[in-house]
Amino acid sequence: MNKQTSPLKFLRLAVVSALALGLTACAPGSQAPDTAPTAAPVTSIDPASAGEVTLRLTDFWGANEGEWIESMVAQFEAKYPNIHIERTQEDWGQLTSTLNLQISEEAGPDIATANNGWQSLGTLAKGNLVLNLDQYAAAFGWDKLIPSTIARQNEFSTDFTKIGEGSLFGTPIARVQPIGIYYNIEKLTKLNVAPPATFAEFEAAAKKAKDAGEIPINYGSQDSPTAALLALQAVFGTAGSINDYVYGNPAVTAEQTGLTKAAETVQRWNEAGWFTPDHAGIDYQTAVANFVDGKGIFRFEYQGSLGLSVEQQSKFGYIQMRNENGGTVGVGASPAALVIATKCKNPDVAAAFLDFLMSQPAAQTAVDNGLIPLLHSDVTTPANMPLLKQEIEQIATIGESDGYVPYFDWASPGMLDVLVQQMQLMYGGRATPAELSTAVDVERNAFLAESAS
Amino acid sequence: MRRSRWMGLAMVLVPLLFYAVFMLAPICQSFSYSFYKWDGHSAATWVGLDNYLSFVTDPVLASTLSHVLVLIGFFALLPIVLGLASAALITRRALPGMALFRFIYFLPQVLTSVVVALVFKRLYGPEGPINESLRAVGLGSWTKAWLGDFDWALPALGLIGTWVTFGFCMVLFISGVSSIPTELYEAARVDGAGPLREFFAVTLPGLRSQLAVALTLTITGALRTFDLVWVTTRGGPGTSTLTPAIALYRAAFENPQVGQAAAIGIVMALLCLLIAVAIGRIAERE
C-alpha cells in the first residue's frame, strides 16, 4: 500500500466524519427559548391602512364548513380590498400531524387551524411557533367577547406546565360543534316514543326499540368508539369536575368525572345488544352511512358530522341530553383553534381576521351554512331548516347552564389512543370500566408528572 | 493508474453526496434524536437509552415485536411454503395458459396496498362476503367481526399479507426452477427418485438464492407493515394488531415523542439489517 491518501481511504474518512458530525450535533430543539417572548403592546389596528397584505391561511374545513370559511374570506377581502387571503385546505389528520412542521417553514401558513389540547396547540405554543395573543385579546376586547369556559380551551401558562389558564394562544370561531344524539324521526314515531330528554327516558326508549326488534343505538367501535362514552360522561359528571380533570387538576380522578359510570353504561348497553351487532368490525364511515340509510334509531355523534343533504335533514332530530345533576353539560368547543404563526409578517392584520371570524357576521354565516353559532345569539335561522333550528335550540341549553366542557382527550397527547384502546378492550371482555378509568388516570398523571418536571 | 482511481472517485462524488445528504445524515440525525426526549420543537432532554429500554419496559411496545413474529409467519413462511409447492407442481409439466396463471397470482403484488387493504376490510366486514358465505352454508355461528376480534384480527391481517406475497414468491421460484439444469432432474429420475425426493434433492437446493431473496424481502416487509394495518384496524382492537411502524408513526406525528419514534426507527432498521445479513450468510454457505 502506498502512503498517499487513496480514494478509498478518503471515502472512509468522509463517511466517518459525516457520522461523527451527525452524532455530535447539538441537542435537537435546543435553540428554542424556554418561554415565548412577549410582543410590544398593540396600540391601534386598522387593516385598511396596512397597505397591500397577503396572508396564507391553512385549515381543515371541508363541506359546509369549507363554504363557511370561503365566505368569511370573501367578506373580509370585500371589507378590506388591500388584504388578500390565500386559503389552503388540507384534511384533518394531514394538517394536525404536519402543522408543527409547516408553520415553522418560511412558506408555511400565517394563520392555521390547530387542534386544541397538548397534542397540537400546546406543542405549537411551547415551541414558540405561534404567537401569544394576550395583547390582541386586550386590543379587540376578546376577553369580554369569549366566555371563560371557551377561552380556557385555548389557554396555556407561559411556562407551559398548565392548560386551561394563563395566556391565549389561539382563538375560537363563532361556531361550536358539540357531541349530541341524533335520532331517526320516522322510527321513533313508529315506536310511539317522544324524543328523550333525560338518561332514564333515553334508556326506556332504547329498551322499547330493542323489544321491537330495532337496533337501538347505531355504533361502530373499530376506529372511533368514544363519542358515546364522552356524551355519557357529560350526563353523569359535572362540568366543573370534567373541566378540572382535563385542565390538569391532580386532585380530580377520572372516576369523579363520571367516566367510570359512563363506561359501565356503554358496557351494559353492549351486553344488552343495544349497539349495532358486530360493532367491533364497523368503522366510523360505515356506521355513519348505515345510520343515514336508516339503520338504528339513535346515534351519538359530533353535531353536523352526518353529512346530511337538505332532504335527509327532515328525517333526523337532535337531542342534547340533560345532566343527571341538573342543567345541561355538553362536550363541545369551537371546531378549531386559530393560531398566528410567530414568523407571520403582519400579525396585526392576521389578528383582525381572527377577530372577524368571531364576529356576529361569522355567526350568521355559520347558520346560513347549516352550522351552529357560538358567541352571538342574535342570528336568524332559515325557516326551511327544521333540524338546524332544533340543534340550535338544544345546544343553546348548554350555554344557558354554562356547561361547556372540553373534549376529554385534550388532557394529554396520548389520551385519545388510550380511550379507544381501553374501550375496545372492555368490549372484548379484557378490561372492566374501573380498569378503563384507572388507565385514563395513569395516562394523565404520567403526563402531568412529565410536564411538571 | 492512480489518476484513474481519483477520476473514479470524482465520478461517484455527486451520487455519494446525495446519498450522504439524503440517507446518511438523516440516519445519523435519527440516531442522535433517539437518545433524547423531544416533542419536535421545544428543548430536548437527554435520556440516554430510555427510549430503547421502552421495548422492554413498555408492554405495548414490546407486544409490537411479538405481533411482527406472527406476521412473519403469514407474510414470509406461509407464502414461501405455498410458493415452493405451487412452483414445484406447475413446473413439472408445461400447462396451457401458464402465463395467465402466473399473471393472476402475481396481480396482488402490483396492486396498491391501500386498495388491497380496503378490499379486504370489506371482505372481513360484519356484513362482508366472508360472513355472508358462512351464513349461506349454515355456519352462522362462526361469523364474527374478523378485524374487530382480539383473537382473529392479527391472523386476518396476516392472511392478507399471505395473499399479497404468495404470487410474488411463486413467480420468483418458477423462474428459479427454470434455470436449474434439466440434466439434474433427468439424473434424479434415472436414480429412481420420486417427485418428493426430486423436490428435496434438486429443486430446493437449486432455489437457494431465490429463497434468500424471498425471505429477505418478505420478512423485512412484515417488519415494516404499516399501510395494511393503518387502513384496516389502526392497531386495534385494543393494541392487538399494533406494529412497530404504527407505533413509530404515532410517536412521531400524533403524540409528539420524536425521540421515541427515532428509537423505534433505529431498532427496525437494525433488525432489517440483521435479518438481511443473516439470510445472506446462510444462503452463501454451501
Side-chain angles (χ1 to χ4, degrees):
Chain A
M1 282 298 273
N2 65 48
K3 282 196 175 143
Q4 269 175 297
T5 328
S6 77
L8 212 62
K9 263 190 189 160
F10 176 79
L11 264 185
R12 224 176 280 152
L13 192 77
V15 169
V16 168
S17 36
L19 283 169
L21 202 71
L23 289 180
T24 54
C26 53
S30 54
Q31 318 84 312
D34 286 335
T35 52
T38 41
V42 178
T43 45
S44 71
I45 295 168
D46 179 19
S49 59
E52 290 288 314
V53 171
T54 301
L55 292 172
R56 282 183 299 266
L57 163 72
T58 303
D59 64 69
F60 46 59
W61 289 318
N64 44 355
E65 296 191 286
E67 279 161 33
W68 175 81
I69 187 68
E70 290 284 354
S71 167
M72 294 313 296
V73 168
Q75 290 177 44
F76 193 73
E77 286 177 339
K79 198 171 166 190
Y80 303 109
N82 56 323
I83 313 285
H84 309 283
I85 296 177
E86 290 172 2
R87 175 184 178 236
T88 309
Q89 190 210 333
E90 293 184 19
D91 82 50
W92 187 87
Q94 162 99 11
L95 185 57
T96 43
S97 58
T98 59
L99 183 60
N100 296 357
L101 297 172
Q102 286 191 35
I103 209 160
S104 48
E105 287 293 317
E106 200 49 46
D110 297 301
I111 304 170
T113 49
N115 196 17
N116 300 70
W118 286 108
Q119 188 269 340
S120 181
L121 183 59
T123 309
L124 291 170
K126 197 175 171 186
N128 191 26
L129 296 173
V130 297
L131 288 181
N132 180 331
L133 302 175
D134 280 352
Q135 45 162 340
Y136 294 117
F140 286 104
W142 293 343
D143 38 358
K144 287 175 203 74
L145 174 70
I146 311 171
S148 64
T149 46
I150 296 290
R152 285 186 80 176
Q153 302 181 339
N154 297 318
E155 287 173 353
F156 293 88
S157 63
T158 46
D159 60 355
F160 302 106
T161 56
K162 291 202 171 72
I163 180 175
E165 59 185 84
S167 292
L168 195 68
F169 283 93
T171 58
I173 51 175
R175 306 200 274 114
V176 68
Q177 191 182 33
I179 301 177
I181 304 170
Y182 282 93
Y183 61 91
N184 186 315
I185 296 174
E186 192 193 322
K187 292 200 174 217
L188 203 62
T189 316
K190 218 164 141 193
L191 286 174
N192 205 12
V193 173
T198 65
F199 178 69
E201 287 171 18
F202 180 83
E203 284 213 309
K207 184 167 187 314
K208 212 164 171 185
K210 179 72 185 171
D211 293 344
E214 292 279 357
I215 297 170
I217 303 163
N218 170 289
Y219 197 49
S221 65
Q222 188 170 57
D223 52 359
S224 61
T226 54
L229 181 80
L230 299 184
L232 286 170
Q233 184 187 32
V235 168
F236 300 128
T238 61
S241 67
I242 300 171
N243 272 301
D244 284 349
Y245 190 88
V246 173
Y247 295 136
N249 180 344
V252 185
T253 65
E255 208 272 325
Q256 291 165 347
T257 64
L259 190 68
T260 317
K261 196 158 180 213
E264 281 163 7
T265 306
V266 288
Q267 176 68 321
R268 186 156 47 78
W269 292 352
N270 179 46
E271 282 161 0
W274 286 7
F275 288 138
T276 307
D278 284 329
H279 56 79
I282 300 176
D283 66 8
Y284 177 79
Q285 302 288 356
T286 311
V288 168
N290 286 344
F291 185 65
V292 174
D293 280 352
K295 288 182 192 157
I297 294 186
F298 297 107
R299 176 168 174 81
F300 291 87
E301 185 53 83
Y302 294 84
Q303 182 277 328
S305 299
L306 292 178
L308 300 172
S309 67
V310 176
E311 189 240 348
Q312 285 166 331
Q313 281 176 20
S314 60
K315 294 179 177 161
F316 295 94
Y318 181 89
I319 309 160
Q320 202 72 52
M321 222 195 291
R322 303 291 168 266
N323 186 276
E324 292 289 274
N325 311 298
T328 308
V329 175
V331 184
S334 153
L338 268 291
V339 294
I340 302 177
T342 309
K343 56 131 185 64
C344 175
K345 293 192 179 68
N346 295 286
D348 293 2
V349 180
F353 183 62
L354 299 196
D355 184 60
F356 189 61
L357 295 183
M358 290 186 278
S359 63
Q360 195 278 338
Q364 184 59 52
T365 309
V367 174
D368 295 342
N369 284 287
L371 302 161
I372 309 297
L374 184 72
L375 309 176
H376 303 274
S377 50
D378 51 338
V379 289
T380 32
T381 316
N384 61 346
M385 298 176 111
L387 176 60
L388 181 67
K389 196 158 175 293
Q390 189 187 14
E391 286 170 329
I392 293 175
E393 282 166 9
Q394 289 281 315
I395 291 165
T397 62
I398 307 175
E400 285 156 18
S401 325
D402 196 15
Y404 275 109
V405 295
Y407 297 113
F408 197 69
D409 55 273
W410 296 357
S412 73
M415 188 57 86
L416 188 60
D417 284 346
V418 169
L419 278 180
V420 171
Q421 286 164 9
Q422 289 294 320
M423 289 186 81
Q424 291 174 340
L425 285 167
M426 190 172 77
Y427 295 142
R430 291 164 192 239
T432 63
E435 282 165 349
L436 179 145
S437 282
T438 310
V440 163
D441 280 335
V442 167
E443 160 70 22
R444 187 202 62 154
N445 293 342
F447 177 73
L448 287 183
E450 222 170 72
S451 21
S453 65
Chain B
M1 180 67 193
R2 189 172 301 145
R3 172 182 295 203
S4 73
R5 287 173 74 184
W6 280 105
M7 192 61 194
L9 180 66
M11 301 288 261
V12 297
L13 206 61
V14 173
L16 208 67
L17 208 68
F18 269 92
Y19 185 70
V21 170
F22 294 106
M23 293 292 294
L24 293 180
I27 289 174
C28 296
Q29 256 180 338
S30 299
F31 188 63
S32 79
Y33 290 168
S34 70
F35 298 103
Y36 288 90
K37 185 175 156 39
W38 187 37
D39 65 6
H41 294 282
S42 24
T45 13
W46 173 267
V47 291
L49 288 173
D50 274 11
N51 289 329
Y52 290 94
L53 289 176
S54 312
F55 275 99
V56 184
T57 54
D58 179 0
V60 171
L61 196 54
S63 74
T64 62
L65 294 179
S66 58
H67 298 157
V68 161
L69 282 181
V70 175
L71 289 183
I72 286 176
F74 284 99
F75 279 50
L77 305 184
L78 198 55
I80 284 176
V81 169
L82 291 175
L84 277 174
S86 49
L89 286 175
I90 283 178
T91 50
R92 283 189 68 79
R93 196 165 292 124
L95 297 168
M98 263 283 290
L100 186 70
F101 257 139
R102 262 184 292 189
F103 170 72
I104 290 172
Y105 283 116
F106 195 72
L107 198 61
Q109 196 65 36
V110 293
L111 286 177
T112 311
S113 57
V114 173
V115 174
V116 172
L118 284 173
V119 167
F120 271 88
K121 195 174 177 182
R122 222 184 161 80
L123 288 175
Y124 282 131
E127 313 273 313
I130 293 176
N131 281 334
E132 292 300 332
S133 319
L134 284 172
R135 283 187 200 109
V137 296
L139 293 173
S141 59
W142 288 21
T143 60
K144 48 174 62 69
W146 299 97
L147 292 173
D149 188 287
F150 277 85
D151 299 317
W152 283 96
L154 194 59
L157 281 178
L159 281 174
I160 308 178
T162 309
W163 183 77
V164 172
T165 46
F166 160 62
F168 164 74
C169 291
M170 187 188 77
V171 169
L172 192 69
F173 296 147
I174 289 177
S175 72
V177 169
S178 64
S179 66
I180 298 173
T182 43
E183 294 83 40
L184 288 178
Y185 285 102
E186 280 158 14
R189 276 170 212 167
V190 168
D191 288 347
L196 211 61
R197 190 64 203 262
E198 197 182 292
F199 173 77
F200 282 106
V202 182
T203 312
L204 201 55
L207 288 177
R208 183 184 282 272
S209 57
Q210 280 79 11
L211 268 172
V213 170
L215 271 174
T216 312
L217 290 181
T218 52
I219 291 181
T220 53
L223 195 65
R224 289 181 292 126
T225 310
F226 176 81
D227 34 17
L228 204 56
V229 179
W230 191 251
V231 174
T232 52
T233 66
R234 300 213 158 198
T239 56
S240 61
T241 58
L242 200 69
T243 63
I246 302 267
L248 186 158
Y249 178 83
R250 289 217 159 126
F253 297 107
E254 292 194 343
N255 316 320
Q257 303 174 322
V258 177
Q260 181 64 67
I264 299 173
I266 295 286
V267 167
M268 282 171 65
L270 283 179
L271 284 177
C272 283
L273 192 70
L274 211 70
I275 289 162
V277 169
I279 293 172
R281 280 278 162 79
I282 295 169
E284 276 165 23
R285 203 185 299 152
E286 272 308 320

